Amino acid sequence: MIFTMKGFVLLGALLCQSYALAASIRSIYLFKDVMKSNTTAIKTSGFNSLVIFGVGILGNGDIMYYSNTPGSSDVLAASNGTYVGGDALAAKVQSFKTGTTGVDRVEISMNSQHVKDLMANPGPGPSTPLYRNFAALKTAWGLDAVNNDDESLYDVASTVKFAQMLGQIGYKYTIAPYTNSGFWVSLIRQTNAGLADPNLLLDRVYLQCYDGGAGNNPASWANTLGLKVVPLVWVTNDSKPSQGTTVAQATSKFTSWNSAGGLAGGGYWNDYDIEKNGLSYTQYGGVLTSIFK
Protein backbone atom coordinates (compact mmCIF):
# COMPACT_ATOMS: atom_id res chain seq x y z
CA MET A 1 0.00 0.00 0.00
CA ILE A 2 1.36 3.41 -1.00
CA PHE A 3 0.76 6.50 1.12
CA THR A 4 1.40 10.07 0.04
CA MET A 5 2.66 12.65 2.54
CA LYS A 6 -0.83 14.10 2.57
CA GLY A 7 -2.15 10.65 3.48
CA PHE A 8 0.27 10.35 6.38
CA VAL A 9 -0.79 13.76 7.69
CA LEU A 10 -4.45 12.80 7.46
CA LEU A 11 -3.82 9.45 9.14
CA GLY A 12 -1.91 11.16 11.93
CA ALA A 13 -4.70 13.64 12.45
CA LEU A 14 -7.28 10.87 12.67
CA LEU A 15 -5.17 8.95 15.15
CA CYS A 16 -4.72 12.04 17.30
CA GLN A 17 -8.45 12.71 17.18
CA SER A 18 -9.20 9.11 18.16
CA TYR A 19 -6.76 9.27 21.07
CA ALA A 20 -8.24 12.54 22.31
CA LEU A 21 -11.73 11.09 22.33
CA ALA A 22 -10.59 7.95 24.12
CA ALA A 23 -8.71 9.98 26.72
CA SER A 24 -11.77 11.95 27.82
CA ILE A 25 -14.41 9.92 29.66
CA ARG A 26 -17.94 11.31 29.60
CA SER A 27 -20.07 8.89 31.56
CA ILE A 28 -23.58 8.47 32.88
CA TYR A 29 -25.15 5.82 35.09
CA LEU A 30 -28.40 4.39 33.75
CA PHE A 31 -30.64 3.47 36.67
CA LYS A 32 -33.83 3.24 34.63
CA ASP A 33 -34.83 0.05 32.80
CA VAL A 34 -32.95 0.34 29.49
CA MET A 35 -35.98 -1.06 27.67
CA LYS A 36 -37.87 2.12 28.63
CA SER A 37 -35.05 4.66 28.44
CA ASN A 38 -34.74 7.34 25.76
CA THR A 39 -32.05 5.46 23.87
CA THR A 40 -31.65 8.05 21.12
CA ALA A 41 -31.02 10.88 23.57
CA ILE A 42 -28.56 8.80 25.60
CA LYS A 43 -26.59 7.91 22.46
CA THR A 44 -26.45 11.40 20.97
CA SER A 45 -25.99 13.79 23.90
CA GLY A 46 -22.21 13.62 24.27
CA PHE A 47 -21.77 10.59 26.54
CA ASN A 48 -19.23 7.99 25.47
CA SER A 49 -19.46 5.64 28.46
CA LEU A 50 -22.65 4.13 29.88
CA VAL A 51 -22.85 2.28 33.18
CA ILE A 52 -26.00 0.16 33.53
CA PHE A 53 -26.89 0.03 37.21
CA GLY A 54 -28.73 -2.81 38.84
CA VAL A 55 -26.96 -6.03 37.85
CA GLY A 56 -26.42 -8.50 40.67
CA ILE A 57 -25.28 -12.06 41.23
CA LEU A 58 -27.22 -14.68 43.16
CA GLY A 59 -25.85 -17.28 45.53
CA ASN A 60 -25.74 -19.92 42.80
CA GLY A 61 -23.87 -17.68 40.35
CA ASP A 62 -26.90 -16.62 38.29
CA ILE A 63 -26.96 -13.00 37.14
CA MET A 64 -29.99 -10.73 37.56
CA TYR A 65 -30.84 -7.43 35.91
CA TYR A 66 -32.88 -5.34 38.36
CA SER A 67 -35.09 -2.95 36.41
CA ASN A 68 -35.43 -0.23 39.10
CA THR A 69 -38.38 1.18 37.16
CA PRO A 70 -42.10 1.28 37.99
CA GLY A 71 -43.97 -1.10 35.73
CA SER A 72 -40.87 -3.14 34.85
CA SER A 73 -39.90 -6.56 36.16
CA ASP A 74 -36.53 -7.88 37.22
CA VAL A 75 -34.93 -10.17 34.64
CA LEU A 76 -32.85 -13.30 35.08
CA ALA A 77 -30.10 -12.50 32.58
CA ALA A 78 -27.76 -15.49 32.73
CA SER A 79 -28.05 -18.94 34.26
CA ASN A 80 -26.10 -22.19 33.95
CA GLY A 81 -23.66 -20.60 31.51
CA THR A 82 -26.37 -19.41 29.13
CA TYR A 83 -27.84 -16.00 28.40
CA VAL A 84 -31.57 -16.15 29.23
CA GLY A 85 -32.51 -12.46 29.35
CA GLY A 86 -34.28 -12.37 26.00
CA ASP A 87 -33.36 -11.14 22.54
CA ALA A 88 -35.06 -7.76 22.94
CA LEU A 89 -33.02 -6.81 26.00
CA ALA A 90 -29.79 -7.98 24.37
CA ALA A 91 -30.54 -5.99 21.22
CA LYS A 92 -31.32 -2.88 23.27
CA VAL A 93 -28.03 -2.98 25.18
CA GLN A 94 -26.06 -3.72 22.01
CA SER A 95 -27.75 -0.77 20.27
CA PHE A 96 -26.03 1.74 22.55
CA LYS A 97 -22.82 1.30 20.53
CA THR A 98 -24.34 0.95 17.06
CA GLY A 99 -25.90 3.34 14.57
CA THR A 100 -25.73 7.05 15.28
CA THR A 101 -24.00 7.12 18.63
CA GLY A 102 -21.15 8.62 20.61
CA VAL A 103 -21.03 5.64 22.96
CA ASP A 104 -18.01 3.35 22.70
CA ARG A 105 -18.13 1.62 26.08
CA VAL A 106 -20.90 -0.05 28.05
CA GLU A 107 -20.44 -1.31 31.61
CA ILE A 108 -22.66 -3.02 34.15
CA SER A 109 -22.57 -1.96 37.79
CA MET A 110 -23.03 -4.32 40.72
CA ASN A 111 -22.51 -4.50 44.46
CA SER A 112 -20.43 -7.10 46.32
CA GLN A 113 -23.23 -9.48 47.34
CA HIS A 114 -22.18 -13.16 47.09
CA VAL A 115 -18.74 -12.34 45.63
CA LYS A 116 -16.76 -13.52 48.65
CA ASP A 117 -18.66 -16.78 49.00
CA LEU A 118 -18.50 -17.65 45.31
CA MET A 119 -14.80 -16.89 45.06
CA ALA A 120 -14.24 -19.35 47.94
CA ASN A 121 -16.55 -22.04 46.56
CA PRO A 122 -16.62 -23.07 43.77
CA GLY A 123 -13.99 -20.41 42.95
CA PRO A 124 -13.23 -18.34 39.85
CA GLY A 125 -12.37 -21.12 37.38
CA PRO A 126 -13.67 -21.23 33.80
CA SER A 127 -15.96 -24.19 34.47
CA THR A 128 -17.85 -22.47 37.30
CA PRO A 129 -21.39 -21.14 36.79
CA LEU A 130 -20.34 -17.57 37.63
CA TYR A 131 -17.53 -17.50 35.06
CA ARG A 132 -19.72 -19.04 32.37
CA ASN A 133 -22.61 -16.69 33.14
CA PHE A 134 -20.46 -13.57 32.87
CA ALA A 135 -19.00 -14.87 29.62
CA ALA A 136 -22.49 -15.46 28.22
CA LEU A 137 -23.69 -12.01 29.32
CA LYS A 138 -20.67 -10.29 27.78
CA THR A 139 -21.35 -11.92 24.45
CA ALA A 140 -25.11 -11.27 24.51
CA TRP A 141 -24.91 -7.63 25.58
CA GLY A 142 -21.58 -6.64 23.99
CA LEU A 143 -20.21 -5.46 27.32
CA ASP A 144 -16.82 -3.87 27.95
CA ALA A 145 -16.48 -3.70 31.73
CA VAL A 146 -17.92 -4.52 35.13
CA ASN A 147 -18.19 -1.71 37.66
CA ASN A 148 -17.74 -2.42 41.39
CA ASP A 149 -20.08 -0.36 43.56
CA ASP A 150 -19.07 -2.10 46.79
CA GLU A 151 -20.21 -0.09 49.81
CA SER A 152 -20.23 -2.82 52.44
CA LEU A 153 -18.02 -5.90 51.94
CA TYR A 154 -14.59 -4.38 51.31
CA ASP A 155 -12.81 -7.75 51.10
CA VAL A 156 -9.64 -7.30 49.08
CA ALA A 157 -8.69 -10.93 48.41
CA SER A 158 -12.04 -12.09 47.03
CA THR A 159 -12.54 -8.89 45.04
CA VAL A 160 -9.14 -9.28 43.36
CA LYS A 161 -10.01 -12.88 42.44
CA PHE A 162 -13.32 -11.74 41.01
CA ALA A 163 -11.70 -8.94 38.99
CA GLN A 164 -9.08 -11.32 37.61
CA MET A 165 -11.79 -13.80 36.64
CA LEU A 166 -13.56 -11.05 34.71
CA GLY A 167 -10.29 -10.08 33.07
CA GLN A 168 -9.82 -13.62 31.81
CA ILE A 169 -13.26 -13.40 30.20
CA GLY A 170 -12.30 -10.15 28.47
CA TYR A 171 -13.85 -7.51 30.69
CA LYS A 172 -12.19 -4.44 32.12
CA TYR A 173 -12.88 -3.73 35.80
CA THR A 174 -13.84 -0.35 37.25
CA ILE A 175 -14.67 0.98 40.70
CA ALA A 176 -17.04 3.58 42.19
CA PRO A 177 -15.66 4.53 45.60
CA TYR A 178 -16.89 7.19 47.96
CA THR A 179 -14.95 6.27 51.12
CA ASN A 180 -12.46 3.72 52.53
CA SER A 181 -9.58 4.74 50.27
CA GLY A 182 -7.26 2.18 51.88
CA PHE A 183 -9.35 -0.69 50.53
CA TRP A 184 -9.42 0.77 47.03
CA VAL A 185 -5.67 1.40 47.02
CA SER A 186 -5.02 -2.24 47.90
CA LEU A 187 -7.51 -3.43 45.30
CA ILE A 188 -5.94 -1.32 42.54
CA ARG A 189 -2.39 -2.37 43.35
CA GLN A 190 -3.17 -6.08 43.53
CA THR A 191 -5.52 -6.17 40.54
CA ASN A 192 -3.09 -4.25 38.33
CA ALA A 193 0.11 -5.91 39.58
CA GLY A 194 2.49 -6.41 36.66
CA LEU A 195 0.27 -4.46 34.26
CA ALA A 196 0.82 -1.06 32.68
CA ASP A 197 -1.40 1.44 30.91
CA PRO A 198 -3.15 0.92 28.47
CA ASN A 199 -3.38 -2.74 29.53
CA LEU A 200 -4.56 -2.17 33.09
CA LEU A 201 -7.34 -4.50 34.22
CA LEU A 202 -8.75 -2.00 36.72
CA ASP A 203 -8.67 0.98 34.40
CA ARG A 204 -11.26 3.47 35.66
CA VAL A 205 -12.28 5.11 38.91
CA TYR A 206 -15.75 6.67 39.03
CA LEU A 207 -15.49 8.75 42.20
CA GLN A 208 -18.74 9.54 44.00
CA CYS A 209 -18.80 13.25 44.77
CA TYR A 210 -22.36 13.40 46.09
CA ASP A 211 -24.27 12.21 49.14
CA GLY A 212 -21.78 10.22 51.28
CA GLY A 213 -18.97 11.35 49.01
CA ALA A 214 -20.06 14.98 48.75
CA GLY A 215 -16.86 16.25 50.34
CA ASN A 216 -14.51 14.23 48.15
CA ASN A 217 -11.67 16.04 46.40
CA PRO A 218 -10.99 14.36 43.05
CA ALA A 219 -7.38 15.54 42.80
CA SER A 220 -6.63 14.22 46.28
CA TRP A 221 -8.23 10.85 45.51
CA ALA A 222 -6.31 10.58 42.24
CA ASN A 223 -3.07 11.17 44.09
CA THR A 224 -3.95 8.58 46.74
CA LEU A 225 -5.11 5.91 44.29
CA GLY A 226 -2.42 6.42 41.69
CA LEU A 227 -5.04 6.62 38.94
CA LYS A 228 -6.88 9.54 37.39
CA VAL A 229 -10.51 9.67 38.47
CA VAL A 230 -13.87 10.43 36.88
CA PRO A 231 -15.83 12.48 39.45
CA LEU A 232 -19.57 11.81 39.53
CA VAL A 233 -22.24 14.30 40.54
CA TRP A 234 -25.92 13.49 40.99
CA VAL A 235 -28.24 15.28 38.57
CA THR A 236 -31.19 17.26 39.86
CA ASN A 237 -33.49 14.78 41.60
CA ASP A 238 -36.46 14.43 43.92
CA SER A 239 -35.01 11.61 46.05
CA LYS A 240 -32.42 13.77 47.80
CA PRO A 241 -32.88 17.26 46.37
CA SER A 242 -30.04 18.66 48.47
CA GLN A 243 -27.63 16.37 46.63
CA GLY A 244 -28.86 17.36 43.17
CA THR A 245 -26.70 19.26 40.72
CA THR A 246 -28.11 21.58 38.07
CA VAL A 247 -26.49 21.97 34.67
CA ALA A 248 -24.95 25.27 35.77
CA GLN A 249 -23.64 23.78 39.00
CA ALA A 250 -22.20 20.79 37.11
CA THR A 251 -20.36 23.17 34.81
CA SER A 252 -18.85 25.01 37.77
CA LYS A 253 -17.83 21.84 39.64
CA PHE A 254 -16.29 20.04 36.70
CA THR A 255 -14.45 23.15 35.55
CA SER A 256 -12.94 23.65 39.00
CA TRP A 257 -12.01 20.01 39.48
CA ASN A 258 -10.52 19.79 36.00
CA SER A 259 -8.28 22.78 36.62
CA ALA A 260 -6.88 21.09 39.73
CA GLY A 261 -5.78 18.04 37.73
CA GLY A 262 -6.08 14.31 38.24
CA LEU A 263 -9.19 13.83 36.12
CA ALA A 264 -9.82 11.34 33.30
CA GLY A 265 -13.22 12.89 32.57
CA GLY A 266 -16.52 13.45 34.35
CA GLY A 267 -19.89 11.83 34.80
CA TYR A 268 -23.29 11.65 36.44
CA TRP A 269 -25.22 9.48 38.84
CA ASN A 270 -28.69 9.35 37.29
CA ASP A 271 -31.24 7.60 39.49
CA TYR A 272 -34.02 7.60 36.83
CA ASP A 273 -33.94 11.37 37.36
CA ILE A 274 -33.35 12.94 33.96
CA GLU A 275 -36.38 11.33 32.33
CA LYS A 276 -38.56 11.22 35.45
CA ASN A 277 -38.17 14.96 36.05
CA GLY A 278 -38.20 16.12 32.44
CA LEU A 279 -34.54 17.16 32.44
CA SER A 280 -32.26 17.21 29.42
CA TYR A 281 -29.64 14.59 28.51
CA THR A 282 -28.36 17.07 25.92
CA GLN A 283 -27.75 19.82 28.46
CA TYR A 284 -26.00 17.57 30.97
CA GLY A 285 -24.00 15.88 28.23
CA GLY A 286 -23.07 19.27 26.82
CA VAL A 287 -21.36 20.18 30.09
CA LEU A 288 -19.04 17.21 29.70
CA THR A 289 -18.29 17.78 26.01
CA SER A 290 -17.44 21.42 26.71
CA ILE A 291 -14.91 20.54 29.42
CA PHE A 292 -13.64 17.07 28.59
CA LYS A 293 -12.73 17.13 24.90
Side-chain angles (χ1 to χ4, degrees), residues 96-117:
F96 285 126
K97 294 190 292 185
T98 61
T100 302
T101 184
V103 177
D104 58 21
R105 176 155 162 157
V106 176
E107 307 185 18
I108 51 174
S109 182
M110 56 174 287
N111 60 29
S112 58
Q113 190 172 14
H114 301 301
V115 169
K116 185 176 181 179
D117 291 341

Side-chain angles (χ1 to χ4, degrees), residues 5-282:
M5 181 59 68
K6 183 177 180 180
F8 276 115
V9 171
L10 177 60
L11 177 61
L14 290 172
L15 288 173
C16 288
Q17 182 183 37
S18 176
Y19 176 81
L21 289 172
S24 300
I25 300 166
R26 302 184 296 276
S27 64
I28 186 167
Y29 276 66
L30 303 181
F31 198 86
K32 185 181 180 183
D33 179 3
V34 295
M35 295 299 293
K36 296 185 175 181
S37 295
N38 186 341
T39 306
T40 299
I42 292 168
K43 292 168 61 173
T44 60
S45 294
F47 307 108
N48 57 21
S49 299
L50 307 181
V51 187
I52 300 173
F53 187 83
V55 173
I57 56 178
L58 304 182
N60 65 354
D62 285 354
I63 302 175
M64 294 290 298
Y65 173 50
Y66 299 107
S67 68
N68 298 304
T69 306
S72 293
S73 299
D74 298 338
V75 176
L76 179 63
S79 179
N80 197 30
T82 302
Y83 175 72
V84 295
D87 293 342
L89 180 56
K92 174 63 74 172
V93 177
Q94 289 181 16
S95 75
F96 285 126
K97 294 190 292 185
T98 61
T100 302
T101 184
V103 177
D104 58 21
R105 176 155 162 157
V106 176
E107 307 185 18
I108 51 174
S109 182
M110 56 174 287
N111 60 29
S112 58
Q113 190 172 14
H114 301 301
V115 169
K116 185 176 181 179
D117 291 341
L118 287 168
M119 289 300 97
N121 181 32
S127 64
T128 62
L130 188 65
Y131 185 107
R132 294 167 56 229
N133 287 335
F134 269 102
L137 187 62
K138 186 180 193 306
T139 298
W141 284 9
L143 298 172
D144 301 288
V146 173
N147 175 244
N148 177 355
D149 187 31
D150 185 358
E151 298 183 354
S152 60
L153 180 65
Y154 297 128
D155 184 78
V156 174
S158 62
T159 307
V160 171
K161 284 184 180 180
F162 181 60
Q164 292 172 338
M165 181 199 78
L166 293 170
Q168 291 174 358
I169 296 170
Y171 288 96
K172 292 290 190 178
Y173 196 62
T174 68
I175 58 177
Y178 80 94
T179 189
N180 200 355
S181 61
F183 164 77
W184 300 108
V185 168
S186 296
L187 178 61
I188 290 170
R189 289 176 179 173
Q190 293 184 39
T191 302
N192 286 338
L195 303 175
D197 195 34
N199 298 313
L200 297 176
L201 171 53
L202 198 166
D203 69 337
R204 292 188 180 184
V205 178
Y206 298 106
L207 179 67
Q208 298 182 44
C209 295
Y210 58 88
D211 206 1
N216 282 333
N217 182 309
S220 177
W221 270 83
N223 183 63
T224 298
L225 298 178
L227 283 178
K228 290 185 176 181
V229 304
V230 179
L232 302 175
V233 297
W234 192 351
V235 300
T236 299
N237 66 88
D238 58 4
S239 298
K240 290 188 176 181
S242 65
Q243 298 301 318
T245 305
T246 66
V247 169
Q249 289 169 334
T251 300
S252 177
K253 288 182 178 182
F254 286 129
T255 299
S256 176
W257 287 332
N258 194 41
S259 66
L263 270 58
Y268 300 106
W269 173 248
N270 172 43
D271 186 358
Y272 181 29
D273 304 301
I274 289 180
E275 295 183 40
K276 178 182 179 183
N277 296 305
L279 307 175
S280 169
Y281 283 112
T282 301

